[in-house]
Amino acid sequence: MEKVEEIPKETLLEIYKTMHKIRTYEETLAEWYYKGKTPRFDISAGPIPGELHLSSGQESAAVGVCMHLKPEDALIGTHRAHHFAIAKGVDLKKMTAEIFGKATGLSRGKGGHMHLFDANVNFSCSGIVGASFPQAVGVGIAAKLKGEDYVAVAVGGDGAANQGTFHEALNLAAIWKLPVIFVIEDNSWAISVPKEKSTAVAKNSERAAGYGIPGVSVDGADVIAVYEVAKEAVKRARRGEGPSLIEIKVYRLRGHFEGDPQHYRPKEDLELARQKDPLMNFEKLLLEKGIATEDELNKIKEENIREVQEAIDFAVNSPYPEPEEALKGVFTGGE
Ligand SMILES: Cc1ncc(C[n+]2csc(CCOP(=O)(O)OP(=O)(O)O)c2C)c(N)n1
């Protein structure tokens, strides 16, 4: 495994920049989400109506994996997918407009935060838990039939790993040696259900043996460890050697959804998440090893704050779709 000193500084700063951008984006989004929803939480009120699942604390999974992907590679995320969308290079302005339900959004405001699609970088996600796995298998079949070297990444949570789709997809990808990387983000919880109550093995990576494919478990508190593990899995898929399963142990810094009172969650669990914060850990590492200076990191932070603000401004100032838009882009009776 490469040591952090052996990775080019440019790459390390890109990893930092993307992780910090994701964190800044989501913290800013949360502020906007609560506008109109306080003091009494009303999920339908405010500029971002509906649910909002944030990924704070899980940035390392997205950045560690996506650093190895090209725009041609497909990534299929979950209901909690902003971090993967940003790391995959989804247009931040259009993504934000989509989350605000505006006509300038990725899907003209009809998808919302759980249904982000950007064909330019082959990104998609959905609110159907476990839907990503078979979709990635489909992309893998297409790549193999066309003889091209793009890969598909399917992301799911520890809860999703108990859906039938996960097991069927692993089996099919394994027997057909498809270029698919299955990523389980284990944040210990499926809403309020702890992993140990739903999953018979401690690590989902152990399940890979049942399908004859490599399975690796990695600590998401260390983005470089994720980066290294993902590098091998992507290379293997591109070489035509078949799928891999990676379980990334991540720590959820916020509730399942915004507004979640988290009564089910022991205080120590949140405390652990704070200690395992991959962004804080990586920033510390860059400074302690003398890889970057505070000034360099501050400059990156300022650039991110500016970019996030521009995306929010774009969304806020964009118009809502016209009512007729509801009949467009549908399967029957529309255009
Ligand atoms: C097929 C399906 N069943 C149930 C739900 C309701 N649901 C939404 S999120 C969630 C928990 C998912 O947990 P996990 O896969 O661990 O992801 P996390 O939310 O922890 O990121 C459930 C059951 C759903 N959206 N889709």
Side-chain angles (χ1 to χ4, degrees):
M1 199 176 262
E2 248 180 314
K3 288 205 193 100
V4 67
E5 292 87 348
E6 290 162 14
I7 300 173
K9 177 173 174 178
E10 208 186 1
T11 306
L12 295 172
L13 290 187
E14 193 183 333
I15 291 173
Y16 176 77
K17 179 166 188 176
T18 312
M19 287 216 293
H20 179 269
K21 189 194 294 184
I22 296 166
R23 180 71 58 89
T24 307
Y25 183 74
E26 293 206 308
E27 300 290 325
T28 311
L29 212 54
E31 283 171 27
W32 277 88
Y33 184 72
Y34 287 108
K35 283 182 204 278
K37 290 189 181 64
T38 46
R40 191 180 66 85
F41 187 73
D42 174 356
I43 202 156
S44 63
I48 308 176
E51 278 188 312
L52 188 67
H53 309 83
L54 298 180
S55 71
S56 293
Q58 305 187 190
E59 297 87 348
S60 54
V63 180
V65 170
C66 291
M67 284 296 290
H68 306 292
L69 302 182
K70 303 186 266 191
E72 311 81 272
D73 298 321
L75 191 138
I76 302 132
T78 70
H79 54 287
R80 190 185 308 286
H82 297 163
H83 51 335
F84 277 96
I86 293 173
K88 187 71 174 69
V90 170
D91 184 302
L92 200 63
K93 286 185 177 164
K94 288 187 186 168
M95 168 174 158
T96 312
E98 185 60 38
I99 294 169
F100 278 71
K102 298 296 183 82
T104 51
L106 291 168
S107 300
R108 290 178 272 167
K110 287 188 254 187
H113 112 96
M114 281 188 263
H115 303 97
L116 304 168
F117 298 88
D118 191 348
N120 291 329
V121 292
N122 285 308
F123 178 87
S124 70
C125 60
S126 105
I128 311 295
V129 170
S132 61
F133 309 120
Q135 290 178 44
V137 168
V139 176
I141 294 171
K144 192 158 183 173
L145 289 176
K146 289 197 235 162
E148 293 182 13
D149 81 340
Y150 63 86
V151 304
V153 177
V155 186
D158 47 288
N162 293 318
Q163 290 285 72
T165 49
F166 175 65
H167 299 275
E168 293 174 43
L170 279 182
N171 189 52
L172 207 55
I175 55 172
W176 290 349
K177 276 198 171 214
L178 300 178
V180 181
I181 298 101
F182 295 95
V183 174
I184 296 298
E185 279 186 285
D186 169 17
N187 65 9
S188 308
W189 300 97
I191 312 185
S192 55
V193 179
K195 186 186 182 191
E196 63 271 17
K197 286 213 173 149
S198 68
T199 307
V201 288
K203 292 175 178 171
N204 277 298
S205 48
E206 292 169 30
R207 289 171 153 177
Y211 303 100
I213 65 168
V216 184
S217 172
V218 61
D219 185 1
D222 177 359
V223 66
I224 298 304
V226 180
Y227 173 86
E228 292 297 336
V229 164
K231 183 160 81 181
E232 286 313 308
V234 173
K235 268 199 207 158
R236 182 182 141 82
R238 277 202 215 289
R239 283 196 304 257
E241 291 169 19
S244 308
L245 170 61
I246 302 172
E247 179 164 81
I248 308 174
K249 180 79 208 90
V250 287
Y251 303 85
R252 208 181 70 192
L253 280 169
R254 306 182 73 101
H256 170 76
F257 55 89
E258 289 308 299
D260 177 2
Q262 302 195 70
H263 293 318
Y264 55 84
R265 191 175 187 185
K267 282 202 171 55
E268 307 76 59
D269 190 67
L270 190 57
E271 190 40 50
L272 179 67
R274 292 197 182 112
Q275 284 164 25
K276 295 279 191 178
D277 180 341
L279 177 62
M280 195 188 69
N281 286 340
F282 193 48
E283 181 165 327
K284 216 167 131 210
L285 183 124
L286 290 175
L287 293 171
E288 276 176 10
K289 291 209 178 274
I291 296 168
T293 63
E294 293 228 18
D295 280 353
E296 280 173 301
L297 298 188
N298 285 340
K299 200 167 152 265
I300 289 173
K301 288 179 189 173
E302 279 163 26
E303 282 166 12
N304 282 340
I305 291 167
R306 198 173 327 118
E307 190 183 342
V308 167
Q309 195 50 53
E310 280 170 12
I312 298 274
D313 290 346
F314 175 78
V316 170
N317 296 324
S318 288
Y320 283 106
E322 295 299 331
E324 306 83 70
E325 183 61 40
L327 299 175
K328 293 182 184 160
V330 292
F331 288 107
T332 54
E335 284 169 32

